[in-house]
Amino acid sequence: AGVIKSGGKTRRAAKMVILNAEHPDIVDFVHSKADEERKAWALIDAGYEGAFNVRGGAYDSVFFQNANHSVRVTDEFMKAVAEDGDWQTKYVLTGEPCETLRARDVMKQMAEAAWQCGDPGIQFDTTVNDWHTCPNTARINASNPCSEYMFLDDTACNLASLNLMKFVGEDGEFDVQDFRAACRTLITAQEILVDNASYPTPAIDRNSHDFRPLGLGYANLGVLLMDRGLPYDSDEGRAYAAAVTALMHGEAYAQSARVSSSVGPFGGYEPNAEPMLRVIDKHRKHSHMIDSSAVPKQLMQAVHDVWDEAYALGAQHGYRNSQVTVLAPTGTIGFMMDCDTTGIEPDIALVKYKKLVGGGVMKIVNQSVPRVLQKLGYGEAEVEEILRYIDEKEMIEGAPHLKDEHVAIFDCAFPPRDGERSIHYMGHIKMMAAVQPFLSGAISKTVNMPTEASADEIGNAYIESWKLGLKAVAVYRDGCKRSQPLST
């Protein structure tokens, strides 16, 4: 990962490091990154440079800084945590029992380590493999570094993301037909790219051609909801996000089946046809569980239509691609695409500061607020006064003219410097749970928690994420690392 540079030269690639919960070294692994974080803090206190990517700085001097650590847990482990049962670790080569631990103790240590440094995250192995389209080939063991691409070992995934705000028309409504057309175009382009890309190893090359996994996704969901006057942490916001995600996912699979009708399904389809159609049907059934009272009728109808089509076309022709969607972080490309929010994230703050790799800081102000205020019925003079207040105070709390019922629409991931409001950590988890049934892969997302959040709350976040059917979850407690890329 140190050799592979993101964008060619400046940033080291990240790597995902996963240990299964039954591994004999699980407790050492859980603490490994938190122990290094303490060393980094001691070096910063001793005068070493505290920023990332500084040669000879504090974080350059400790281990694991370009690794994301995750523990892979099964339903069996999570049930043992819920019921306060024992957990048996096993020797890797023989499967023989090694050590008996209390499951809740292991979970507590995971939460305490994450409280200190954000790692380890958790991946829910049973859930991941229950939504697997190609289980007859092999199981899913791991993910990419950001945890959204989960598939067979030695495969690669072409990512592409759509800026959701580009589909909001003059009337303020989401253009369903335009969005479907864009999904079709991108899936076709990504499919063509599979055969025109080069791959790092022969195994990845072979599997990428045999299974052709794609990762269509989106950015700017946070602003789309804000623009509709829907708080991110609301049942209405979650239902709307679920419908948009279901539409993207359904159109992507329908297009994959159309391509398959011309050129044939992916190489590994035949042995996996039955389980794949089972998973497609699961997606389809979940589309009928979206709360349609919170979604415009035309959008909801399109979702139901596209899933019926995706299933029928696939049953007839198979699918050209084993997977079609993920929700990637879209960090740098989000800026290039004029997005105020990345991936599935809400805005981190209406005014935030981004540290730049080459040094320096960029102040980023959410550009969408004026339009939202106008749509909510505020006059020109009122909008100007509210914007002046945001510029001055770096928050919207307490702004003149702002009605109480509108404040939640502008809630962000972190509380502002002098404010109190932010999205509760369960708001992040519930949003992920709303869209997860409409993705081939998982979601790259940080569950943001305030500085004062406890380790117990982190443990609760992990347990609730499992209960709500997430494939993976990672938390970040504001300020738990002495250097972070985005801050208020």
Side-chain angles (χ1 to χ4, degrees):
V3 172
I4 298 168
K5 295 285 194 283
S6 175
K9 67 185 182 103
T10 50
R11 196 177 77 199
R12 291 187 303 184
K15 58 181 178 177
M16 175 60 83
V17 181
I18 296 171
L19 207 66
N20 295 341
E22 70 265 18
H23 194 287
D25 295 333
I26 192 61
V27 174
D28 289 344
F29 177 72
V30 162
H31 291 286
S32 59
K33 204 163 172 182
D35 290 346
E36 295 299 307
E37 185 68 25
R38 282 203 295 275
K39 288 183 202 169
W41 285 32
L43 289 167
I44 292 167
D45 290 341
Y48 285 85
E49 177 64 50
F52 278 122
N53 290 310
V54 173
R55 193 175 283 277
Y59 283 102
D60 189 48
S61 311
V62 300
F63 286 112
F64 312 132
Q65 295 311 298
N66 64 331
N68 291 328
H69 284 190
S70 287
V71 176
R72 191 87 170 193
V73 301
T74 56
D75 276 5
E76 189 188 0
F77 174 82
M78 294 305 293
K79 283 172 185 160
V81 171
E83 294 160 10
D84 198 12
D86 287 339
W87 179 246
Q88 190 75 55
T89 61
K90 295 171 187 156
Y91 289 108
V92 175
L93 295 181
T94 64
E96 297 288 310
C98 173
E99 190 179 3
T100 302
L101 305 168
R102 186 180 169 215
R104 278 191 187 172
D105 282 347
V106 180
M107 176 61 83
K108 186 169 188 282
Q109 291 177 70
M110 284 159 66
E112 285 168 351
W115 182 89
Q116 183 146 27
C117 69
D119 284 68
I122 293 195
Q123 297 192 353
F124 300 106
D125 184 87
T126 311
T127 308
V128 169
N129 281 288
D130 189 47
W131 289 87
H132 183 15
T133 55
C134 298
N136 291 341
T137 299
R139 68 192 314 281
I140 297 175
N141 296 306
S143 76
N144 70 326
C146 299
S147 210
E148 78 273 14
Y149 175 58
M150 301 186 166
F151 196 49
L152 301 168
D153 291 353
D154 291 309
T155 54
C157 181
N158 286 324
L159 300 182
S161 293
L162 291 159
N163 177 352
L164 293 177
M165 282 305 292
K166 297 288 185 189
F167 300 94
V168 177
E170 291 294 313
D171 61 354
E173 285 302 316
F174 191 75
D175 192 321
V176 170
Q177 296 313 318
D178 268 13
F179 185 64
R180 290 179 69 172
C183 292
R184 288 194 295 275
T185 302
L186 273 181
I187 282 293
T188 309
Q190 286 168 271
E191 156 56 29
I192 292 166
L193 197 59
V194 171
D195 293 331
N196 289 281
S198 58
Y199 299 91
T201 69
I204 295 174
D205 190 320
R206 184 173 62 249
N207 287 330
S208 296
H209 284 94
D210 285 349
F211 292 91
R212 315 182 77 80
L214 306 178
L216 179 61
Y218 56 65
N220 235 2
L221 176 76
V223 171
L224 180 71
L225 297 177
M226 201 183 276
D227 188 66
R228 288 196 68 79
L230 299 173
Y232 188 89
D233 186 7
S234 68
D235 289 339
E236 296 78 15
R238 289 185 276 272
Y240 194 82
V244 169
T245 314
L247 185 64
M248 173 182 76
H249 190 45
E251 191 64 58
Y253 263 132
Q255 183 65 5
S256 181
R258 289 182 202 109
V259 174
S260 180
S261 73
S262 300
V263 294
F266 65 91
Y269 178 72
E270 285 310 322
N272 291 291
E274 193 181 331
M276 181 154 186
L277 281 167
R278 179 190 74 85
V279 171
I280 299 290
D281 196 41
K282 266 181 76 151
H283 291 303
R284 181 174 67 160
K285 282 174 178 158
H286 272 272
S287 74
H288 287 277
M289 297 178 200
I290 299 170
D291 178 7
S292 55
S293 67
V295 180
K297 205 171 177 184
Q298 187 203 5
L299 173 56
M300 205 63 245
Q301 189 57 54
V303 168
H304 293 150
D305 290 349
V306 80
W307 273 105
D308 287 344
E309 191 177 6
Y311 184 81
L313 285 169
Q316 193 178 348
H317 305 294
Y319 298 93
R320 182 65 176 163
N321 311 95
S322 56
Q323 292 196 347
V324 287
T325 59
V326 300
L327 276 181
T330 70
T332 306
I333 69 162
F335 286 120
M336 297 174 74
M337 290 159 66
D338 291 332
C339 296
D340 276 314
T341 62
T342 56
I344 192 181
E345 300 285 2
D347 208 347
I348 192 167
L350 295 183
V351 179
K352 54 197 169 291
Y353 296 87
K354 180 173 172 62
K355 281 187 184 160
L356 304 174
V357 172
V361 171
M362 178 165 72
K363 182 177 178 179
I364 306 159
V365 182
N366 187 309
Q367 303 297 310
S368 313
V369 175
R371 174 187 159 116
V372 178
L373 290 168
Q374 284 156 7
K375 284 179 81 169
L376 290 170
Y378 293 92
E380 204 175 313
E382 291 175 318
V383 170
E384 272 183 38
E385 277 191 63
I386 294 171
L387 293 177
R388 205 175 304 125
Y389 181 91
I390 293 172
D391 200 43
E392 221 173 274
K393 305 276 191 185
E394 307 202 340
M395 62 179 182
I396 204 167
E397 278 176 59
H401 314 297
L402 188 68
K403 294 174 184 162
D404 287 350
E405 66 265 27
H406 292 156
V407 179
I409 294 166
F410 301 97
D411 282 349
C412 294
F414 286 173
R417 190 178 51 199
D418 299 317
E420 291 175 7
R421 294 185 65 92
S422 65
I423 294 165
H424 190 268
Y425 69 87
M426 280 308 298
H428 294 276
I429 290 168
K430 285 176 183 173
M431 180 57 82
M432 293 169 78
V435 305
Q436 181 60 81
F438 310 112
L439 296 165
S440 298
I443 306 163
S444 173
K445 160 130 186 56
T446 307
V447 174
N448 294 98
M449 301 182 89
T451 311
E452 61 276 8
S454 67
D456 284 348
E457 287 178 292
I458 292 174
N460 183 56
Y462 288 160
I463 291 163
E464 289 301 316
S465 298
W466 168 63
K467 286 180 181 172
L468 287 170
L470 297 192
K471 291 181 179 178
V473 67
V475 303
Y476 184 77
R477 186 176 64 86
D478 190 18
C480 73
K481 291 185 91 71
R482 291 278 179 95
S483 176
Q484 60 189 41
L486 283 170
S487 65
T488 56

